[in-house]
Each structure stands twice: as C-alpha cells, then as structure tokens.
Amino acid sequence: MTRFGYTLMTEQSGPKDLVRYAVSAEQVGFDFEVSSDHYSPWLSAQGHAPNAWTVLGAVAHATERVELFTYVTCPTMRYHPAIVAQQAATLQILADGRFTLGLGSGENLNEHVVGQGWPTITRRHDMLREAIQIIRELFTGDVVDWKGEYFEVDSARLWDLPDVPVALAAAVSGDRSVETFAPLADHLIAVQPDREAVDAWHHARRGTGLSGDVRVIGQIPICWDPDRDTAVARAHDQFRWFAGGWAVNADLPTTAGFAGATQFVRPEDTADAIACGPDLDAIVEAVSEYWKAGFTDIALVQVGDEGQERFLDEAAGPLLEKLRSAAG
C-alpha cells in the first residue's frame, strides 16, 4: 500500500506554525511527515528557516502516530556526523521509534554558512559516504575513534540509544549515487519519479546480498487553493526556484542567487511544473507518476504558509481519499 505524507516545509513557516500543522496533518490522516533541514529559504518571499531538529523534537511530543523523517539532513559540513548521530538517536527516543534519518549531500544554500566552501559533487558524495559509516558506528553504542579522509572522531559514544534502531534513508540523483549509497542506507529518497533509479537501487542492494523492506520515498509540490489564479500566483512567488532542477538548486548560495536565476520564470511555467488550484483529480494525476515509478511513500508539499490551514481543514482529507483509491 502506498503511504502518503505531509511536508513540514521549514522554508515557508515558523516553528510554532509547523508544530500546529504537524498535529493537524496527523489528525486528517497523513501516514508520515517529513521535515526539510534548511539554514535559509530558497527565496526571500518564503521568509523562514527554523532549526529542523528543534521543530522535530516538538513534533515528536505533539504527535502520536505519524512517522517522522528528515528530508534531508546533510551530515558533512553544517553538522558533523557525530552530532547528527546524537540528534537522530535522541529524536528516535522522543518519537518512540517513529523516526527515520534521511540524509543527503546538501545544498550550497545551507552549507556555505560555516565558511568551508562548497565541494564538487564527487567530493560531496565521498564525504556523505564517510559520514554514514561514522553514524552507523555510533549507533552501535560502542566508543568510536575514527580518522578518515574528511572526518575525525575522538572517543565518541552515544549514551542514550533508542530501543528501535534508527533507519537511514539516502537521497540519490544518478547512477553513481545509487551505486554508492544503496549498500549503506536502508531506504531510498528521490525527488523525481524515475523508475530506472528505483530499479537500479533494488538491483544494487541485491547485488550486495541486502534485502528487506526497502522504502522508496518521494516528494512532490502542489498548490491547492479554491481559486486557481491565487494558487498559481503563490506557487510562482514562493516556488519558482523549483524550475531550476537539482543540478542548479544544489549549487546556488543565496536567496538573491535564486531570485536572479528564476527572474524569467513565468507564472505559467510554474503552473506547468506544479499542480495548482482546486482540482483534486489533477493533483492525483501528478502524484500518480511516483507510485507508477515504484515509490512506496510520497510526501506532499502544500506551497506557501498562507492557506496551509485551509488546505489541511478542507482539502487534505478528500485528497487523501482520492490518492489512496487511485493508488490501490
């Protein structure tokens, strides 16, 4: 059965609002909730970037049923992997086993703030691979000493370990990242409905003797509103950065850079990329590309803080019914 999730979009809402939305999303019937982990919004119009881990700790206590994910945390620059391991173990305890640690190689937008530059994609993948190995070691509860190519760990131990081990999900975008991370992570994260990537992930895991219940977790933006013109305007104002694709999105360092890069993106271009307006069937059609590509879990991003409560109160329940009926 396909599971449907709600995105706690830290770039567009403040921390107290995010916790309220998390509670409402659980009550309306979403299966899981994912949180972005940003130091900066994509565009100034979004206007927020609270600390994801603080928010998730509050969400863990405010909710009871929904699974929780980071989507995604970069454990290589802004955070040392030893700190990510501690954060994840603590959050898993607070969430009573409902948390999955989603990891990725990051975006310049968030990681440049610590003044360490921005490595090439090959180096970022190598750093992420080493970080995952360190996190896995720390999750054993043993004392860890590590001296690798990118990180050092000196006599570190996690003193509070959850009864339910923290599963790891890795964000991938190409053949090399699939080959690198399929043997290291439990689950796959991808933001494009790419059947070939999903099949390659399963093939790579089988090739190393790994099996088990592998989840494929995707995400898609939507902009529901009773008025389509309002929805298109909101999506263009706050989500036109999405048109650049991840090869571009990973490398731009500032909101000003994203504003400049997207200055010629028209509202109709945004509407072509994102389902906008009151038509729930059109949203279902857009989301269906993911389960057809083999995704087991699909998180929705309702664009914009304005209208978020109305989406949860009026549209989310009927939309979930339609999605579950269509996905079978």
Side-chain angles (χ1 to χ4, degrees):
M1 180 179 295
T2 307
R3 290 172 285 259
F4 296 99
Y6 175 80
T7 298
L8 300 168
M9 196 74 174
T10 60
E11 302 95 294
Q12 65 184 23
S13 300
K16 288 187 176 181
D17 288 331
L18 288 165
V19 176
R20 286 194 299 107
Y21 300 154
V23 172
S24 295
E26 179 179 66
Q27 291 173 344
V28 82
F30 282 98
D31 300 305
F32 65 97
E33 299 178 4
V34 306
S35 174
S36 55
D37 186 350
H38 271 240
Y39 200 88
S40 173
W42 300 99
L43 293 166
S44 297
Q46 292 178 307
H48 292 278
N51 183 274
W53 291 90
T54 308
V55 171
L56 281 169
V59 169
H61 260 236
T63 58
E64 299 178 353
R65 174 187 56 79
V66 286
E67 295 179 83
L68 304 174
F69 293 72
T70 46
Y71 202 97
V72 291
T73 286
C74 175
T76 61
M77 299 185 68
R78 192 164 36 112
Y79 306 117
H80 189 282
I83 302 305
V84 173
Q86 183 190 37
Q87 292 174 143
T90 299
L91 184 55
Q92 183 72 311
I93 293 169
L94 292 172
D96 294 321
R98 293 182 284 135
F99 176 62
T100 295
L101 176 59
L103 299 172
S105 58
E107 298 96 18
N108 196 4
L109 177 70
N110 303 303
E111 307 308 319
H112 82 273
V113 297
V114 295
Q116 299 299 311
W118 185 235
T120 64
I121 183 62
T122 298
R123 182 162 299 217
R124 298 201 303 270
H125 282 169
D126 290 343
M127 293 173 73
L128 180 57
R129 176 176 57 193
E130 187 174 321
I132 290 175
Q133 292 170 325
I134 291 169
I135 291 168
R136 289 284 198 196
E137 288 290 321
L138 286 164
F139 280 169
T140 67
D142 296 334
V143 175
V144 175
D145 287 288
W146 182 282
K147 187 174 179 62
E149 184 176 356
Y150 300 102
F151 304 106
E152 292 189 26
V153 179
D154 185 3
S155 302
R157 174 188 170 189
L158 296 183
W159 289 88
D160 289 275
L161 286 173
D163 294 332
V164 178
V166 180
L168 300 184
V172 303
S173 58
D175 292 341
R176 183 178 183 275
S177 58
V178 168
E179 293 174 3
T180 300
F181 299 113
L184 297 176
D186 303 298
H187 307 302
L188 165 64
I189 288 173
V191 292
Q192 296 293 332
D194 185 346
R195 183 79 203 205
E196 290 185 4
V198 174
D199 290 343
W201 180 274
H202 292 309
H203 177 76
R205 287 182 62 84
R206 286 194 298 269
T208 56
L210 296 170
S211 59
D213 183 18
V214 176
R215 297 171 71 168
V216 182
I217 307 139
Q219 185 184 63
I220 181 171
I222 64 171
C223 194
W224 177 87
D225 194 275
D227 180 74
R228 187 175 187 276
D229 290 341
T230 299
V232 171
R234 184 192 305 138
H236 180 257
D237 179 53
Q238 298 199 21
F239 240 77
R240 65 185 181 275
W241 61 270
F242 190 71
W246 289 102
V248 174
N249 295 343
D251 283 336
L252 294 176
T254 63
T255 56
F258 277 94
T262 59
Q263 62 182 309
F264 299 116
V265 176
R266 302 168 301 172
E268 53 264 38
D269 299 325
T270 308
D272 286 343
I274 297 172
C276 295
D279 188 347
L280 298 184
D281 290 329
I283 295 174
V284 171
E285 180 64 26
V287 176
S288 71
E289 296 299 317
Y290 282 82
W291 70 69
K292 291 174 182 176
F295 283 71
T296 61
D297 299 74
I298 307 164
L300 308 182
V301 181
Q302 165 65 6
V303 173
D305 185 72
E306 179 187 357
Q308 198 73 217
E309 288 185 344
R310 190 171 186 182
F311 166 74
L312 289 166
D313 290 344
E314 298 180 18
L319 177 58
L320 284 170
E321 290 182 9
K322 285 179 174 288
L323 286 168
R324 289 174 178 139
S325 176

